[in-house]
Amino acid sequence: MKRALITGITGQDGLYLSELLLSKDYEVYGLIRGQNNPKADLVRREVPGVKLLTGDITDLSSLIRAFGVAQPDEVYNLGAISFVAYSWENARLTSDVTGLGVLNVLEATRLHAGEDLSKVRFYQASSSEMFGKVQDVPQRETTLLWPRSPYGVAKVYGHYMTINYRESYGMHASSGILFNHESPRRGPEFVTRKVTQAVARISLGLQESVSLGNLDAKRDWGFAGDYVEAMWRMLQQDEADDYVVATGETHSIRELLDVAFRHVGIDDWEGKVHQDPRFFRPAEVDLLIGDPTKAREQLGWTPKVGFEELVRMMVESDLAQEKERAGR
């Protein structure tokens, strides 16, 4: 039985990855920060087979203790402060967690592996936000990185540190450059979930409108449940490498609104959506679209859930949750 340790277990990716690994008969350990983390119950409810360990990716000693208990064959570093807008408000904390945290998990992996560095395989969750001011369309593994947020900068640090550990120590350390991936488990602060939750509430008469930022920003959106399979496939390869994980399609926020509102029978949403300057980024990333050719050819990975199906799935989930809350 393989053993896996996942940081960031409470996020959507951590939950979907846990389900995938448990279905493959892994023994799964999840690192959770704080003694009374309010999301611990979420993990226990959604994936009861996961064994939770207390630790913090900013604290190397706690990671070493967690490795001692988990004895992992595979390590998936999904832990990060992942809300891009927040990274401008607290760039230092974002750098410590999303950047230096990667170094700590890499070092804990190296120390745990000891003389046999091949016995533990490492996955780093890199991000399309690293491309920022894009230099190629579509973006691929060789595209110059030009991050446009403190979050993106921190992810670039973690990405290159992963490459450095691979090249310096011969570690099986891979990075997945994941483009935007969403699900009903996405936090409500992210624009996709903010939209689907608002659309559900508007259709039920629970709110009148929603305030958003740049409606013309374009993203390559996929389903988080598909993307975690790409993570797992990377660690099954003989050689470690870096892969863009994306759909190869791009859609604007306006298109997201079209699909979401249309699903609840609203064709004209103009009066229900307001643009608010507070939600514009100081430095916008206008267009992200990934080239997943390498992942398709080398990993045999392709996304199964399309954009419209994803949006409808999220709206349906939010409708069910809002009806339950309202006692309908």
Side-chain angles (χ1 to χ4, degrees):
M1 179 182 287
K2 284 188 178 180
R3 299 160 73 97
L5 175 63
I6 303 172
T7 72
I9 190 77
T10 63
Q12 63 167 2
D13 290 9
L15 295 172
Y16 283 112
L17 179 61
S18 297
E19 290 175 339
L20 176 68
L21 296 180
L22 288 169
S23 75
K24 296 180 181 296
D25 295 323
Y26 277 64
E27 190 168 341
V28 180
Y29 291 82
L31 195 73
I32 195 160
R33 185 168 57 88
Q35 293 289 347
N36 297 304
N37 190 311
K39 290 188 174 181
D41 287 340
L42 169 69
V43 179
R44 294 188 185 103
R45 184 177 67 250
E46 297 280 326
V47 278
V50 171
K51 298 175 175 66
L52 293 179
L53 302 174
T54 300
D56 192 320
I57 63 174
T58 64
D59 176 17
L60 181 59
S61 63
S62 75
L63 290 173
I64 292 171
R65 286 194 298 273
F67 273 73
V69 175
Q71 296 289 315
D73 302 294
E74 298 174 0
V75 177
Y76 295 86
N77 183 42
L78 312 183
I81 292 177
S82 56
F83 186 44
V84 177
Y86 177 78
S87 72
W88 278 283
E89 297 175 20
N90 205 325
R92 175 58 187 267
L93 181 60
T94 299
S95 300
D96 285 346
V97 176
T98 307
L100 290 172
V102 183
L103 172 59
N104 287 333
V105 185
L106 280 164
E107 185 65 3
T109 304
R110 185 181 73 85
L111 293 172
H112 176 72
E115 295 298 317
D116 185 9
L117 288 173
S118 65
K119 77 176 186 179
V120 185
R121 297 187 173 192
F122 177 90
Y123 170 82
Q124 165 59 16
S126 291
S127 168
S128 61
E129 288 286 333
M130 300 190 306
F131 294 121
K133 189 176 180 181
V134 298
Q135 302 300 296
D136 291 321
V137 179
Q139 294 87 56
R140 49 186 64 87
E141 293 81 5
T142 55
T143 298
L144 176 69
L145 305 181
W146 195 316
R148 297 265 283 173
S149 67
Y151 168 80
V153 173
K155 279 292 186 182
V156 169
Y157 174 87
H159 180 72
Y160 278 123
M161 191 58 72
T162 301
I163 294 172
N164 186 257
Y165 266 65
R166 182 170 73 222
E167 295 179 347
S168 299
Y169 302 114
M171 283 177 58
H172 194 294
S174 296
S175 287
I177 307 172
L178 268 59
F179 280 63
N180 294 67
H181 48 291
E182 316 297 326
S183 76
R185 288 170 165 165
R186 187 56 128 166
E189 68 273 22
F190 291 85
V191 68
T192 47
R193 182 73 193 289
K194 183 178 180 180
V195 165
T196 61
Q197 198 172 58
V199 166
R201 290 180 58 81
I202 289 168
S203 72
L204 295 171
L206 299 174
Q207 76 181 58
E208 294 182 357
S209 63
V210 61
S211 296
L212 301 172
N214 181 11
L215 302 185
D216 297 312
K218 293 182 176 180
R219 295 290 184 271
D220 185 328
W221 278 300
F223 173 48
D226 288 341
Y227 284 33
V228 297
E229 185 185 341
M231 301 177 189
W232 174 77
R233 286 177 179 245
M234 287 177 212
L235 297 201
Q236 312 316 306
Q237 304 304 301
D238 292 336
E239 300 291 332
D241 208 342
D242 306 317
Y243 298 88
V244 163
V245 180
T247 69
E249 298 179 4
T250 190
H251 300 275
S252 67
I253 304 292
R254 292 185 187 277
E255 290 176 80
L256 170 66
L257 289 162
D258 284 340
V259 176
F261 274 107
R262 189 165 61 241
H263 187 63
V264 296
I266 299 173
D267 293 323
D268 182 8
W269 49 260
E270 291 289 344
K272 304 180 189 303
V273 177
H274 306 298
Q275 285 190 284
D276 189 329
R278 292 178 301 162
F279 299 121
F280 281 79
R281 294 183 178 187
E284 182 59 85
V285 174
D286 295 312
L287 171 64
L288 290 175
I289 178 170
D291 178 359
T293 301
K294 184 177 176 181
R296 183 177 64 249
E297 294 180 351
Q298 295 189 22
L299 302 179
W301 177 85
T302 54
K304 298 179 180 69
V305 178
F307 172 70
E308 293 202 10
E309 182 183 353
L310 171 63
V311 177
R312 291 194 297 267
M313 175 200 307
M314 293 176 66
V315 173
E316 278 299 315
S317 174
D318 280 319
L319 279 169
Q321 287 187 34
E322 294 300 333
K323 286 177 182 176
E324 185 177 352
R325 288 194 191 104
R328 299 186 180 185

